[in-house]
mmCIF file of all heavy atoms in Angstrom:
data_model
loop_
_atom_site.group_PDB
_atom_site.id
_atom_site.type_symbol
_atom_site.label_atom_id
_atom_site.label_comp_id
_atom_site.label_asym_id
_atom_site.label_seq_id
_atom_site.Cartn_x
_atom_site.Cartn_y
_atom_site.Cartn_z
ATOM 1 N N SER J 126 64.307 102.286 115.664
ATOM 2 C CA SER J 126 63.012 101.696 115.306
ATOM 3 C C SER J 126 63.078 100.186 115.291
ATOM 4 O O SER J 126 62.083 99.509 115.573
ATOM 5 C CB SER J 126 62.576 102.229 113.940
ATOM 6 O OG SER J 126 63.483 101.800 112.942
ATOM 7 N N TRP J 138 57.212 109.847 111.732
ATOM 8 C CA TRP J 138 57.135 111.304 111.819
ATOM 9 C C TRP J 138 58.522 111.929 111.827
ATOM 10 O O TRP J 138 58.779 112.944 111.195
ATOM 11 C CB TRP J 138 56.353 111.693 113.070
ATOM 12 C CG TRP J 138 56.306 113.191 113.283
ATOM 13 C CD1 TRP J 138 55.494 114.098 112.659
ATOM 14 C CD2 TRP J 138 57.131 113.935 114.169
ATOM 15 N NE1 TRP J 138 55.741 115.354 113.098
ATOM 16 C CE2 TRP J 138 56.766 115.295 114.032
ATOM 17 C CE3 TRP J 138 58.131 113.585 115.076
ATOM 18 C CZ2 TRP J 138 57.371 116.292 114.764
ATOM 19 C CZ3 TRP J 138 58.733 114.580 115.800
ATOM 20 C CH2 TRP J 138 58.353 115.934 115.638
ATOM 21 N N ARG J 141 60.002 111.781 108.319
ATOM 22 C CA ARG J 141 59.472 112.845 107.471
ATOM 23 C C ARG J 141 60.085 114.191 107.836
ATOM 24 O O ARG J 141 60.392 115.010 106.961
ATOM 25 C CB ARG J 141 57.948 112.900 107.615
ATOM 26 C CG ARG J 141 57.237 111.739 106.913
ATOM 27 C CD ARG J 141 55.757 112.059 106.735
ATOM 28 N NE ARG J 141 55.102 112.273 108.014
ATOM 29 C CZ ARG J 141 54.518 111.304 108.721
ATOM 30 N NH1 ARG J 141 54.523 110.052 108.257
ATOM 31 N NH2 ARG J 141 53.946 111.560 109.877
ATOM 32 N N PRO J 151 72.498 123.909 105.222
ATOM 33 C CA PRO J 151 73.148 123.283 106.389
ATOM 34 C C PRO J 151 73.122 124.164 107.625
ATOM 35 O O PRO J 151 73.063 123.674 108.747
ATOM 36 C CB PRO J 151 74.572 123.029 105.897
ATOM 37 C CG PRO J 151 74.467 122.996 104.393
ATOM 38 C CD PRO J 151 73.374 123.940 104.049
ATOM 39 N N THR J 170 67.790 118.024 132.939
ATOM 40 C CA THR J 170 68.505 118.470 134.128
ATOM 41 C C THR J 170 67.512 118.742 135.240
ATOM 42 O O THR J 170 66.536 119.491 135.059
ATOM 43 C CB THR J 170 69.297 119.752 133.809
ATOM 44 O OG1 THR J 170 70.148 119.478 132.699
ATOM 45 C CG2 THR J 170 70.115 120.181 135.021
ATOM 46 N N ARG J 220 103.743 70.679 103.781
ATOM 47 C CA ARG J 220 104.160 71.994 104.270
ATOM 48 C C ARG J 220 105.680 72.040 104.327
ATOM 49 O O ARG J 220 106.325 71.080 104.766
ATOM 50 C CB ARG J 220 103.570 72.276 105.645
ATOM 51 C CG ARG J 220 103.937 73.652 106.201
ATOM 52 C CD ARG J 220 103.398 73.831 107.610
ATOM 53 N NE ARG J 220 101.951 73.948 107.609
ATOM 54 C CZ ARG J 220 101.296 75.099 107.500
ATOM 55 N NH1 ARG J 220 101.959 76.233 107.367
ATOM 56 N NH2 ARG J 220 99.978 75.118 107.529
ATOM 57 N N ASP J 252 124.150 65.804 93.517
ATOM 58 C CA ASP J 252 125.253 66.286 92.695
ATOM 59 C C ASP J 252 125.770 65.136 91.835
ATOM 60 O O ASP J 252 125.851 63.990 92.288
ATOM 61 C CB ASP J 252 126.361 66.835 93.583
ATOM 62 C CG ASP J 252 127.421 67.561 92.777
ATOM 63 O OD1 ASP J 252 127.258 67.674 91.549
ATOM 64 O OD2 ASP J 252 128.412 68.006 93.376
ATOM 65 N N PHE J 262 115.753 61.545 103.406
ATOM 66 C CA PHE J 262 114.336 61.213 103.271
ATOM 67 C C PHE J 262 113.988 60.152 104.307
ATOM 68 O O PHE J 262 114.554 59.054 104.305
ATOM 69 C CB PHE J 262 114.056 60.704 101.855
ATOM 70 C CG PHE J 262 112.658 60.200 101.643
ATOM 71 C CD1 PHE J 262 111.559 60.962 102.012
ATOM 72 C CD2 PHE J 262 112.436 58.956 101.085
ATOM 73 C CE1 PHE J 262 110.277 60.508 101.817
ATOM 74 C CE2 PHE J 262 111.157 58.476 100.877
ATOM 75 C CZ PHE J 262 110.073 59.264 101.250
ATOM 76 N N VAL J 263 113.060 60.508 105.216
ATOM 77 C CA VAL J 263 112.680 59.597 106.299
ATOM 78 C C VAL J 263 111.171 59.426 106.283
ATOM 79 O O VAL J 263 110.427 60.251 105.733
ATOM 80 C CB VAL J 263 113.147 60.126 107.670
ATOM 81 C CG1 VAL J 263 114.662 60.284 107.712
ATOM 82 C CG2 VAL J 263 112.454 61.435 108.014
ATOM 83 N N ILE J 276 109.145 62.888 105.509
ATOM 84 C CA ILE J 276 109.834 64.173 105.685
ATOM 85 C C ILE J 276 111.072 64.184 104.796
ATOM 86 O O ILE J 276 111.823 63.196 104.745
ATOM 87 C CB ILE J 276 110.238 64.412 107.153
ATOM 88 C CG1 ILE J 276 109.030 64.271 108.078
ATOM 89 C CG2 ILE J 276 110.855 65.794 107.325
ATOM 90 C CD1 ILE J 276 109.392 64.375 109.553
ATOM 91 N N SER J 283 116.307 73.520 104.612
ATOM 92 C CA SER J 283 114.871 73.423 104.374
ATOM 93 C C SER J 283 114.368 72.041 104.749
ATOM 94 O O SER J 283 115.110 71.055 104.675
ATOM 95 C CB SER J 283 114.544 73.704 102.899
ATOM 96 O OG SER J 283 114.962 75.009 102.532
ATOM 97 N N MET J 294 104.930 68.484 113.357
ATOM 98 C CA MET J 294 105.835 69.414 112.689
ATOM 99 C C MET J 294 106.545 70.323 113.694
ATOM 100 O O MET J 294 107.757 70.570 113.578
ATOM 101 C CB MET J 294 105.059 70.238 111.666
ATOM 102 C CG MET J 294 104.655 69.464 110.421
ATOM 103 S SD MET J 294 103.928 70.489 109.120
ATOM 104 C CE MET J 294 102.377 70.945 109.894
ATOM 105 N N LEU J 313 109.827 84.568 111.405
ATOM 106 C CA LEU J 313 110.096 84.596 109.970
ATOM 107 C C LEU J 313 109.976 83.214 109.352
ATOM 108 O O LEU J 313 109.499 83.060 108.223
ATOM 109 C CB LEU J 313 111.491 85.166 109.719
ATOM 110 C CG LEU J 313 111.900 85.383 108.262
ATOM 111 C CD1 LEU J 313 110.967 86.377 107.588
ATOM 112 C CD2 LEU J 313 113.342 85.871 108.177
ATOM 113 N N ASP J 336 89.285 62.424 84.095
ATOM 114 C CA ASP J 336 89.572 61.809 82.814
ATOM 115 C C ASP J 336 90.973 61.258 82.797
ATOM 116 O O ASP J 336 91.887 61.798 83.444
ATOM 117 C CB ASP J 336 89.403 62.822 81.677
ATOM 118 C CG ASP J 336 87.981 63.377 81.638
ATOM 119 O OD1 ASP J 336 87.063 62.612 82.004
ATOM 120 O OD2 ASP J 336 87.813 64.550 81.265
ATOM 121 N N PHE J 358 99.523 65.538 92.209
ATOM 122 C CA PHE J 358 98.956 64.194 92.117
ATOM 123 C C PHE J 358 100.096 63.206 91.927
ATOM 124 O O PHE J 358 100.931 63.378 91.028
ATOM 125 C CB PHE J 358 97.975 64.090 90.943
ATOM 126 C CG PHE J 358 96.819 65.040 91.035
ATOM 127 C CD1 PHE J 358 96.943 66.358 90.596
ATOM 128 C CD2 PHE J 358 95.610 64.639 91.576
ATOM 129 C CE1 PHE J 358 95.884 67.234 90.680
ATOM 130 C CE2 PHE J 358 94.536 65.512 91.663
ATOM 131 C CZ PHE J 358 94.678 66.811 91.221
ATOM 132 N N ASP J 402 119.089 111.153 103.915
ATOM 133 C CA ASP J 402 120.216 112.058 104.191
ATOM 134 C C ASP J 402 120.774 112.647 102.908
ATOM 135 O O ASP J 402 121.115 113.845 102.851
ATOM 136 C CB ASP J 402 121.313 111.304 104.943
ATOM 137 C CG ASP J 402 120.872 110.904 106.342
ATOM 138 O OD1 ASP J 402 119.895 111.496 106.848
ATOM 139 O OD2 ASP J 402 121.490 109.988 106.930
ATOM 140 N N VAL J 456 106.382 73.299 88.637
ATOM 141 C CA VAL J 456 106.146 73.771 90.005
ATOM 142 C C VAL J 456 106.855 75.103 90.241
ATOM 143 O O VAL J 456 106.306 76.012 90.887
ATOM 144 C CB VAL J 456 106.607 72.704 91.011
ATOM 145 C CG1 VAL J 456 106.411 73.199 92.438
ATOM 146 C CG2 VAL J 456 105.843 71.408 90.801
ATOM 147 N N ARG J 464 110.625 84.930 87.979
ATOM 148 C CA ARG J 464 110.261 86.347 88.067
ATOM 149 C C ARG J 464 110.717 86.943 89.391
ATOM 150 O O ARG J 464 111.246 88.066 89.421
ATOM 151 C CB ARG J 464 108.746 86.493 87.913
ATOM 152 C CG ARG J 464 108.257 87.935 87.970
ATOM 153 C CD ARG J 464 106.748 88.001 87.877
ATOM 154 N NE ARG J 464 106.122 87.270 88.969
ATOM 155 C CZ ARG J 464 105.941 87.768 90.189
ATOM 156 N NH1 ARG J 464 106.360 88.999 90.479
ATOM 157 N NH2 ARG J 464 105.355 87.055 91.123
ATOM 158 N N LEU J 482 127.607 104.747 95.952
ATOM 159 C CA LEU J 482 127.514 106.203 96.093
ATOM 160 C C LEU J 482 127.826 106.639 97.515
ATOM 161 O O LEU J 482 128.591 107.598 97.732
ATOM 162 C CB LEU J 482 126.109 106.650 95.690
ATOM 163 C CG LEU J 482 125.801 108.152 95.838
ATOM 164 C CD1 LEU J 482 126.726 108.962 94.942
ATOM 165 C CD2 LEU J 482 124.345 108.433 95.503
ATOM 166 N N HIS J 513 161.442 128.502 117.088
ATOM 167 C CA HIS J 513 162.853 128.136 117.237
ATOM 168 C C HIS J 513 163.764 129.221 116.678
ATOM 169 O O HIS J 513 164.809 129.549 117.264
ATOM 170 C CB HIS J 513 163.120 126.815 116.537
ATOM 171 C CG HIS J 513 162.510 125.624 117.224
ATOM 172 N ND1 HIS J 513 162.369 124.398 116.626
ATOM 173 C CD2 HIS J 513 161.998 125.476 118.486
ATOM 174 C CE1 HIS J 513 161.798 123.560 117.473
ATOM 175 N NE2 HIS J 513 161.560 124.202 118.616
ATOM 176 N N ARG J 518 167.748 133.362 117.817
ATOM 177 C CA ARG J 518 168.246 134.713 117.597
ATOM 178 C C ARG J 518 168.386 135.469 118.912
ATOM 179 O O ARG J 518 169.343 136.221 119.122
ATOM 180 C CB ARG J 518 167.285 135.448 116.662
ATOM 181 C CG ARG J 518 167.768 136.815 116.256
ATOM 182 C CD ARG J 518 166.826 137.434 115.251
ATOM 183 N NE ARG J 518 167.291 138.753 114.857
ATOM 184 C CZ ARG J 518 166.634 139.556 114.005
ATOM 185 N NH1 ARG J 518 165.489 139.127 113.463
ATOM 186 N NH2 ARG J 518 167.128 140.751 113.703
ATOM 187 N N LYS J 521 171.586 134.300 120.729
ATOM 188 C CA LYS J 521 172.811 134.821 120.130
ATOM 189 C C LYS J 521 173.064 136.254 120.558
ATOM 190 O O LYS J 521 174.193 136.660 120.836
ATOM 191 C CB LYS J 521 172.727 134.734 118.616
ATOM 192 C CG LYS J 521 172.825 133.306 118.086
ATOM 193 C CD LYS J 521 172.761 133.290 116.574
ATOM 194 C CE LYS J 521 172.864 131.860 116.050
ATOM 195 N NZ LYS J 521 172.791 131.821 114.558
ATOM 196 N N VAL J 535 197.110 144.693 126.295
ATOM 197 C CA VAL J 535 198.072 144.230 127.301
ATOM 198 C C VAL J 535 198.877 143.085 126.693
ATOM 199 O O VAL J 535 198.310 142.123 126.152
ATOM 200 C CB VAL J 535 197.324 143.740 128.548
ATOM 201 C CG1 VAL J 535 198.327 143.121 129.532
ATOM 202 C CG2 VAL J 535 196.605 144.893 129.195
#
Side-chain angles (χ1 to χ4, degrees):
S126 64
W138 176 79
R141 287 197 300 269
T170 304
R220 181 184 290 270
D252 190 3
F262 174 50
V263 300
I276 306 175
S283 300
M294 287 188 291
L313 185 61
D336 301 328
F358 300 84
D402 293 341
V456 178
R464 181 183 60 82
L482 177 62
H513 289 165
R518 186 176 180 182
K521 289 181 180 180
V535 174

